[in-house]
Amino acid sequence: MCEAGGEGDIGMSAVATVVMNRVNITEGEYGRYNTVRDVAYAPRQFECVTGNHPTQNIWSMNPEWVHYAIAEWAFNGGRLGMVGNGLWFFNPYGPECSYNFPSGVGVFMARLGDHCFYAPTSSYYKT
């Protein structure tokens, strides 16, 4: 809700897919994160847990049934196909998504609303 609530059910499902992909991957940087909590609180990953936004953070949000339904869907193995094995997303604040994730370890998969989604390249597995 906090990271992608403005993107509707599809956007929130895409972010849930990325989170669960990070939980389930066993290699690279995210291989050391084994729980949703580990992923959410990893340094410099999800702005909503940093508390830097006074009105948009996990402590000030009021989840509704749809948010719980999307989380349950993801916990039960649901994945949004167009995001695939994506590990990253970000808002480019413009109309174009770059082909590569800014750090060079991901390749463009899809754009959903304001966010670009990226899957790992072989370079990621060296992180």
Side-chain angles (χ1 to χ4, degrees):
M1 173 186 181
C2 193
E3 287 288 334
E7 301 293 333
D9 295 0
I10 297 294
M12 290 185 290
S13 297
V15 169
T17 297
V18 167
V19 169
M20 295 310 296
N21 286 346
R22 289 183 184 186
V23 168
N24 292 320
I25 198 163
T26 59
E27 299 176 84
E29 174 185 5
Y30 299 119
R32 63 180 166 232
Y33 302 125
N34 300 313
T35 68
V36 171
R37 183 178 189 81
D38 291 344
V39 169
Y41 285 91
R44 301 172 310 279
Q45 298 302 307
F46 292 93
E47 290 186 17
C48 282
V49 299
T50 66
N52 291 336
H53 301 284
T55 59
Q56 189 173 347
N57 60 64
I58 61 172
W59 299 277
S60 66
M61 306 303 279
N62 294 309
E64 298 175 6
W65 70 268
V66 66
H67 306 115
Y68 291 106
I70 290 170
E72 184 174 354
W73 166 82
F75 284 138
N76 289 325
R79 299 294 179 270
L80 194 61
M82 62 185 65
V83 175
N85 63 338
L87 294 176
W88 305 277
F89 66 94
F90 80 102
N91 184 337
Y93 297 101
E96 301 289 325
C97 294
S98 64
Y99 179 73
N100 290 308
F101 189 69
S103 63
V105 295
V107 64
F108 177 72
M109 292 283 296
R111 182 173 185 135
L112 297 167
D114 290 334
H115 292 93
C116 304
F117 289 81
Y118 295 84
T121 64
S122 59
S123 297
Y124 161 76
Y125 298 99
K126 298 173 187 170
T127 62

